[in-house]
Amino acid sequence: MSATTTNTAVVEVQDLNKSFGDNHVLRGIDTTVREGEVVCVIGPSGSGKSTFLRCINLLEEPSSGSVRVGGEEVTDPDCDIDAIRRNMGMVFQQFNLFPHLSVLENCTIAQTTVLKRSKSEAQATARANLEKVGLSEKADAYPAQLSGGQQQRVAIARALSMDPQLMLFDEPTSALDPELVGDVLSVMRRLASEGMTMMVVTHEMAFARDVADRVIFMDGGVIVEEGSPERVIGDPQEERTRTFLQRVL
Ligand code: ADP
Ligand code: MG
């Protein structure tokens, strides 16, 4: 547990199962993510990492089991999923910025339309977050004028501008040229040190080792092992984890 982790559960997952047709992708996932905790999810391609994150914000509907975010059951028909989603920022491998909007507008549009903030408040929040990701001077640029790493940092600033309680990252640096990865990871490190609750699917083992409070190794739709990075990456107990790490380290 890091200095910033509290006892409050932000995400509670119990016996989560997800099938696509005959493909039983998630097979009983149990975990709790606490406020301020940084959890890195690692594992081979196809092991269900993206599906796991997507079940948390209901981009995919769980087939069975329970997913609670901030104490609310996301699959409960009475639950206000839009309100829950507003509390979660998600950053994907692809940046998904609006190409016809400036950087500043990308960071204000959901604030004004969804949170009903005034334009001036939204712009102030957006500028503060662009500053945080080191892109103040790009506020008036358009996405196509930016490098992939800069676009991804805008995507992070955009998500942060909604003041989320939780940030989900799905391989945020996998689409980037190697020389652009570092800037994005430093922004994420800073967020982590400021106490943001984060779930990060990543192949960046150095990042996981340095920044994660806990590492989850997934394979075949189950959590094979989890624990501190020193334990899971430094001294894996399971053969499947060792095999995976030998391939990526
Ligand atoms: P990972 O992120 O670990 O690479 P995914 O969660 O993307 O794994 O995928 C796990 C399995 O679920 C794969 O077999 C994939 O083909 C399948 N899958 C993921 N999303 C869908 C979908 N929307 N429809 C059908 N199958 C899917
Ligand atoms: Mg994936």
Side-chain angles (χ1 to χ4, degrees), residues 169-188:
F169 293 88
D170 193 356
E171 299 198 27
T173 59
S174 293
L176 300 178
D177 292 335
E179 74 272 20
L180 303 177
V181 168
D183 286 342
V184 173
L185 292 180
S186 354
V187 165
M188 294 169 63

PDB file of all heavy atoms in Angstrom, residues 169-188:
ATOM      1  N   PHE A 169      -6.698   2.900 -17.608  1.00  0.00           N
ATOM      2  CA  PHE A 169      -5.802   3.039 -18.762  1.00  0.00           C
ATOM      3  C   PHE A 169      -5.672   1.674 -19.427  1.00  0.00           C
ATOM      4  O   PHE A 169      -5.289   0.701 -18.771  1.00  0.00           O
ATOM      5  CB  PHE A 169      -4.402   3.471 -18.314  1.00  0.00           C
ATOM      6  CG  PHE A 169      -4.317   4.856 -17.728  1.00  0.00           C
ATOM      7  CD1 PHE A 169      -4.528   5.061 -16.368  1.00  0.00           C
ATOM      8  CD2 PHE A 169      -3.992   5.949 -18.519  1.00  0.00           C
ATOM      9  CE1 PHE A 169      -4.420   6.334 -15.819  1.00  0.00           C
ATOM     10  CE2 PHE A 169      -3.883   7.226 -17.972  1.00  0.00           C
ATOM     11  CZ  PHE A 169      -4.097   7.423 -16.624  1.00  0.00           C
ATOM     12  N   ASP A 170      -5.962   1.610 -20.730  1.00  0.00           N
ATOM     13  CA  ASP A 170      -5.798   0.344 -21.447  1.00  0.00           C
ATOM     14  C   ASP A 170      -4.657   0.472 -22.458  1.00  0.00           C
ATOM     15  O   ASP A 170      -4.846   1.003 -23.544  1.00  0.00           O
ATOM     16  CB  ASP A 170      -7.095  -0.070 -22.146  1.00  0.00           C
ATOM     17  CG  ASP A 170      -7.043  -1.515 -22.636  1.00  0.00           C
ATOM     18  OD1 ASP A 170      -5.966  -2.160 -22.502  1.00  0.00           O
ATOM     19  OD2 ASP A 170      -8.064  -1.998 -23.162  1.00  0.00           O
ATOM     20  N   GLU A 171      -3.494  -0.004 -22.084  1.00  0.00           N
ATOM     21  CA  GLU A 171      -2.291   0.057 -22.926  1.00  0.00           C
ATOM     22  C   GLU A 171      -2.103   1.443 -23.533  1.00  0.00           C
ATOM     23  O   GLU A 171      -2.008   1.592 -24.758  1.00  0.00           O
ATOM     24  CB  GLU A 171      -2.360  -1.016 -24.023  1.00  0.00           C
ATOM     25  CG  GLU A 171      -2.423  -2.420 -23.439  1.00  0.00           C
ATOM     26  CD  GLU A 171      -2.047  -3.484 -24.467  1.00  0.00           C
ATOM     27  OE1 GLU A 171      -1.283  -3.174 -25.391  1.00  0.00           O
ATOM     28  OE2 GLU A 171      -2.519  -4.614 -24.315  1.00  0.00           O
ATOM     29  N   PRO A 172      -1.997   2.461 -22.666  1.00  0.00           N
ATOM     30  CA  PRO A 172      -1.977   3.836 -23.179  1.00  0.00           C
ATOM     31  C   PRO A 172      -0.746   4.172 -24.016  1.00  0.00           C
ATOM     32  O   PRO A 172      -0.771   5.147 -24.752  1.00  0.00           O
ATOM     33  CB  PRO A 172      -1.994   4.682 -21.897  1.00  0.00           C
ATOM     34  CG  PRO A 172      -1.423   3.794 -20.850  1.00  0.00           C
ATOM     35  CD  PRO A 172      -1.901   2.413 -21.201  1.00  0.00           C
ATOM     36  N   THR A 173       0.310   3.362 -23.906  1.00  0.00           N
ATOM     37  CA  THR A 173       1.520   3.705 -24.669  1.00  0.00           C
ATOM     38  C   THR A 173       1.810   2.712 -25.793  1.00  0.00           C
ATOM     39  O   THR A 173       2.814   2.844 -26.490  1.00  0.00           O
ATOM     40  CB  THR A 173       2.759   3.774 -23.740  1.00  0.00           C
ATOM     41  OG1 THR A 173       2.951   2.507 -23.094  1.00  0.00           O
ATOM     42  CG2 THR A 173       2.589   4.851 -22.669  1.00  0.00           C
ATOM     43  N   SER A 174       0.907   1.749 -26.002  1.00  0.00           N
ATOM     44  CA  SER A 174       1.222   0.687 -26.967  1.00  0.00           C
ATOM     45  C   SER A 174       1.232   1.154 -28.415  1.00  0.00           C
ATOM     46  O   SER A 174       1.866   0.528 -29.262  1.00  0.00           O
ATOM     47  CB  SER A 174       0.228  -0.466 -26.823  1.00  0.00           C
ATOM     48  OG  SER A 174       0.425  -1.083 -25.579  1.00  0.00           O
ATOM     49  N   ALA A 175       0.507   2.249 -28.716  1.00  0.00           N
ATOM     50  CA  ALA A 175       0.454   2.706 -30.109  1.00  0.00           C
ATOM     51  C   ALA A 175       1.516   3.766 -30.399  1.00  0.00           C
ATOM     52  O   ALA A 175       1.560   4.305 -31.498  1.00  0.00           O
ATOM     53  CB  ALA A 175      -0.936   3.261 -30.420  1.00  0.00           C
ATOM     54  N   LEU A 176       2.356   4.062 -29.397  1.00  0.00           N
ATOM     55  CA  LEU A 176       3.289   5.185 -29.549  1.00  0.00           C
ATOM     56  C   LEU A 176       4.663   4.739 -30.033  1.00  0.00           C
ATOM     57  O   LEU A 176       5.129   3.656 -29.684  1.00  0.00           O
ATOM     58  CB  LEU A 176       3.464   5.897 -28.201  1.00  0.00           C
ATOM     59  CG  LEU A 176       2.205   6.488 -27.576  1.00  0.00           C
ATOM     60  CD1 LEU A 176       2.547   7.100 -26.227  1.00  0.00           C
ATOM     61  CD2 LEU A 176       1.593   7.529 -28.505  1.00  0.00           C
ATOM     62  N   ASP A 177       5.298   5.613 -30.805  1.00  0.00           N
ATOM     63  CA  ASP A 177       6.701   5.383 -31.126  1.00  0.00           C
ATOM     64  C   ASP A 177       7.484   5.358 -29.815  1.00  0.00           C
ATOM     65  O   ASP A 177       7.180   6.123 -28.899  1.00  0.00           O
ATOM     66  CB  ASP A 177       7.233   6.517 -32.010  1.00  0.00           C
ATOM     67  CG  ASP A 177       6.596   6.485 -33.398  1.00  0.00           C
ATOM     68  OD1 ASP A 177       6.156   5.396 -33.820  1.00  0.00           O
ATOM     69  OD2 ASP A 177       6.514   7.550 -34.036  1.00  0.00           O
ATOM     70  N   PRO A 178       8.506   4.505 -29.750  1.00  0.00           N
ATOM     71  CA  PRO A 178       9.222   4.310 -28.479  1.00  0.00           C
ATOM     72  C   PRO A 178       9.705   5.606 -27.832  1.00  0.00           C
ATOM     73  O   PRO A 178       9.647   5.748 -26.604  1.00  0.00           O
ATOM     74  CB  PRO A 178      10.415   3.439 -28.878  1.00  0.00           C
ATOM     75  CG  PRO A 178       9.999   2.747 -30.128  1.00  0.00           C
ATOM     76  CD  PRO A 178       9.008   3.632 -30.824  1.00  0.00           C
ATOM     77  N   GLU A 179      10.116   6.576 -28.633  1.00  0.00           N
ATOM     78  CA  GLU A 179      10.683   7.789 -28.030  1.00  0.00           C
ATOM     79  C   GLU A 179       9.605   8.681 -27.418  1.00  0.00           C
ATOM     80  O   GLU A 179       9.904   9.649 -26.726  1.00  0.00           O
ATOM     81  CB  GLU A 179      11.533   8.571 -29.045  1.00  0.00           C
ATOM     82  CG  GLU A 179      10.754   9.320 -30.101  1.00  0.00           C
ATOM     83  CD  GLU A 179      10.443   8.480 -31.345  1.00  0.00           C
ATOM     84  OE1 GLU A 179      10.493   7.231 -31.257  1.00  0.00           O
ATOM     85  OE2 GLU A 179      10.135   9.082 -32.381  1.00  0.00           O
ATOM     86  N   LEU A 180       8.333   8.351 -27.656  1.00  0.00           N
ATOM     87  CA  LEU A 180       7.243   9.175 -27.121  1.00  0.00           C
ATOM     88  C   LEU A 180       6.609   8.557 -25.872  1.00  0.00           C
ATOM     89  O   LEU A 180       5.773   9.171 -25.216  1.00  0.00           O
ATOM     90  CB  LEU A 180       6.161   9.368 -28.193  1.00  0.00           C
ATOM     91  CG  LEU A 180       6.655   9.986 -29.499  1.00  0.00           C
ATOM     92  CD1 LEU A 180       5.517  10.072 -30.515  1.00  0.00           C
ATOM     93  CD2 LEU A 180       7.261  11.367 -29.256  1.00  0.00           C
ATOM     94  N   VAL A 181       7.016   7.340 -25.561  1.00  0.00           N
ATOM     95  CA  VAL A 181       6.396   6.612 -24.451  1.00  0.00           C
ATOM     96  C   VAL A 181       6.698   7.268 -23.105  1.00  0.00           C
ATOM     97  O   VAL A 181       5.830   7.416 -22.244  1.00  0.00           O
ATOM     98  CB  VAL A 181       6.880   5.134 -24.459  1.00  0.00           C
ATOM     99  CG1 VAL A 181       6.512   4.419 -23.175  1.00  0.00           C
ATOM    100  CG2 VAL A 181       6.304   4.403 -25.676  1.00  0.00           C
ATOM    101  N   GLY A 182       7.937   7.735 -22.951  1.00  0.00           N
ATOM    102  CA  GLY A 182       8.404   8.248 -21.659  1.00  0.00           C
ATOM    103  C   GLY A 182       7.578   9.409 -21.138  1.00  0.00           C
ATOM    104  O   GLY A 182       7.252   9.463 -19.943  1.00  0.00           O
ATOM    105  N   ASP A 183       7.222  10.344 -22.035  1.00  0.00           N
ATOM    106  CA  ASP A 183       6.464  11.529 -21.596  1.00  0.00           C
ATOM    107  C   ASP A 183       5.095  11.135 -21.055  1.00  0.00           C
ATOM    108  O   ASP A 183       4.611  11.708 -20.076  1.00  0.00           O
ATOM    109  CB  ASP A 183       6.257  12.496 -22.762  1.00  0.00           C
ATOM    110  CG  ASP A 183       7.546  13.233 -23.124  1.00  0.00           C
ATOM    111  OD1 ASP A 183       8.466  13.246 -22.279  1.00  0.00           O
ATOM    112  OD2 ASP A 183       7.612  13.759 -24.244  1.00  0.00           O
ATOM    113  N   VAL A 184       4.464  10.166 -21.705  1.00  0.00           N
ATOM    114  CA  VAL A 184       3.143   9.722 -21.251  1.00  0.00           C
ATOM    115  C   VAL A 184       3.269   9.007 -19.904  1.00  0.00           C
ATOM    116  O   VAL A 184       2.494   9.250 -18.976  1.00  0.00           O
ATOM    117  CB  VAL A 184       2.468   8.816 -22.311  1.00  0.00           C
ATOM    118  CG1 VAL A 184       1.175   8.216 -21.784  1.00  0.00           C
ATOM    119  CG2 VAL A 184       2.197   9.613 -23.596  1.00  0.00           C
ATOM    120  N   LEU A 185       4.291   8.155 -19.782  1.00  0.00           N
ATOM    121  CA  LEU A 185       4.473   7.451 -18.516  1.00  0.00           C
ATOM    122  C   LEU A 185       4.795   8.425 -17.390  1.00  0.00           C
ATOM    123  O   LEU A 185       4.355   8.232 -16.257  1.00  0.00           O
ATOM    124  CB  LEU A 185       5.572   6.387 -18.644  1.00  0.00           C
ATOM    125  CG  LEU A 185       5.234   5.203 -19.556  1.00  0.00           C
ATOM    126  CD1 LEU A 185       6.403   4.226 -19.591  1.00  0.00           C
ATOM    127  CD2 LEU A 185       3.957   4.485 -19.125  1.00  0.00           C
ATOM    128  N   SER A 186       5.545   9.509 -17.685  1.00  0.00           N
ATOM    129  CA  SER A 186       5.835  10.444 -16.579  1.00  0.00           C
ATOM    130  C   SER A 186       4.581  11.155 -16.109  1.00  0.00           C
ATOM    131  O   SER A 186       4.437  11.413 -14.909  1.00  0.00           O
ATOM    132  CB  SER A 186       6.889  11.508 -16.899  1.00  0.00           C
ATOM    133  OG  SER A 186       7.467  11.342 -18.101  1.00  0.00           O
ATOM    134  N   VAL A 187       3.682  11.456 -17.041  1.00  0.00           N
ATOM    135  CA  VAL A 187       2.413  12.061 -16.635  1.00  0.00           C
ATOM    136  C   VAL A 187       1.654  11.094 -15.725  1.00  0.00           C
ATOM    137  O   VAL A 187       1.109  11.481 -14.680  1.00  0.00           O
ATOM    138  CB  VAL A 187       1.564  12.424 -17.882  1.00  0.00           C
ATOM    139  CG1 VAL A 187       0.130  12.709 -17.507  1.00  0.00           C
ATOM    140  CG2 VAL A 187       2.184  13.619 -18.611  1.00  0.00           C
ATOM    141  N   MET A 188       1.666   9.813 -16.089  1.00  0.00           N
ATOM    142  CA  MET A 188       0.960   8.814 -15.284  1.00  0.00           C
ATOM    143  C   MET A 188       1.612   8.620 -13.917  1.00  0.00           C
ATOM    144  O   MET A 188       0.937   8.430 -12.903  1.00  0.00           O
ATOM    145  CB  MET A 188       0.878   7.494 -16.045  1.00  0.00           C
ATOM    146  CG  MET A 188      -0.006   7.612 -17.295  1.00  0.00           C
ATOM    147  SD  MET A 188       0.132   6.178 -18.348  1.00  0.00           S
ATOM    148  CE  MET A 188      -0.511   4.917 -17.248  1.00  0.00           C
TER     149      MET A 188
END
